[in-house]
Amino acid sequence: GVASGEVTYATNAAPAMVVPLLCATNQFGRYPSNNDGMPITFAHPVAGGPATIEPSVIAVTLNDGSVVNPYCVTAAPAREGNEMQTYLTVGTFGDGRGEALYPIKIEVVGDLMLQPGEEGAPQVNAKGSVYVPPGGLRYTG
């Protein structure tokens, strides 16, 4: 709502203009423009809470055979334990509406510990987890 000229968001979904702040800067010292956002949901929460996952842990294979890593992977604005399963990846994952270049596989290629919800359950490593969507992840579905 709006009160006294101040805007209050009624959702925890981040507006597009906030994404650069959530991801801070990449290795070039600035946030790249014209990126793609792709949510990734894990079977269990990522262990350690709302920390940002190292981008090199996620590999995205495009339909031309190239493999790219996101510029950043973040849970923000999530902060609660039950929200630590879905992370936003930001990077260059294709050519958008041109649909000549698009993701065909997402893989966890580095250690990424998940915490199952059962009391006393040991952490599990998501390394090696692969998602291959039928037909790829095209912009228009």
Side-chain angles (χ1 to χ4, degrees):
V2 177
S4 305
E6 295 182 28
V7 176
T8 304
Y9 292 100
T11 178
N12 68 348
M17 64 186 186
V18 175
V19 171
L21 299 175
L22 300 177
C23 292
T25 60
N26 69 3
Q27 69 268 24
F28 302 111
R30 62 180 174 77
Y31 187 80
S33 60
N34 298 320
N35 288 291
D36 303 308
M38 181 171 52
I40 297 177
T41 300
F42 299 100
H44 303 290
V46 173
T52 299
I53 298 171
E54 183 63 37
S56 62
V57 169
I58 306 294
V60 179
T61 302
L62 305 178
N63 65 317
D64 68 353
S66 61
V67 179
V68 298
N69 298 99
Y71 295 122
C72 83
V73 182
T74 181
R79 290 178 280 182
E80 299 170 14
N82 66 344
E83 298 175 330
M84 295 299 103
Q85 286 179 251
T86 301
Y87 280 70
L88 173 65
T89 63
V90 178
T92 303
F93 305 130
D95 65 350
R97 294 182 188 212
E99 293 195 340
L101 189 61
Y102 52 87
I104 59 168
K105 179 171 82 170
I106 297 124
E107 182 174 8
V108 179
V109 295
D111 291 326
L112 178 61
M113 302 309 292
L114 305 179
Q115 182 63 62
E118 300 83 28
E119 177 123 5
Q123 293 181 354
V124 295
N125 196 337
K127 184 177 182 176
S129 298
V130 177
Y131 177 62
V132 180
L137 294 169
R138 295 172 184 250
Y139 182 80
T140 58

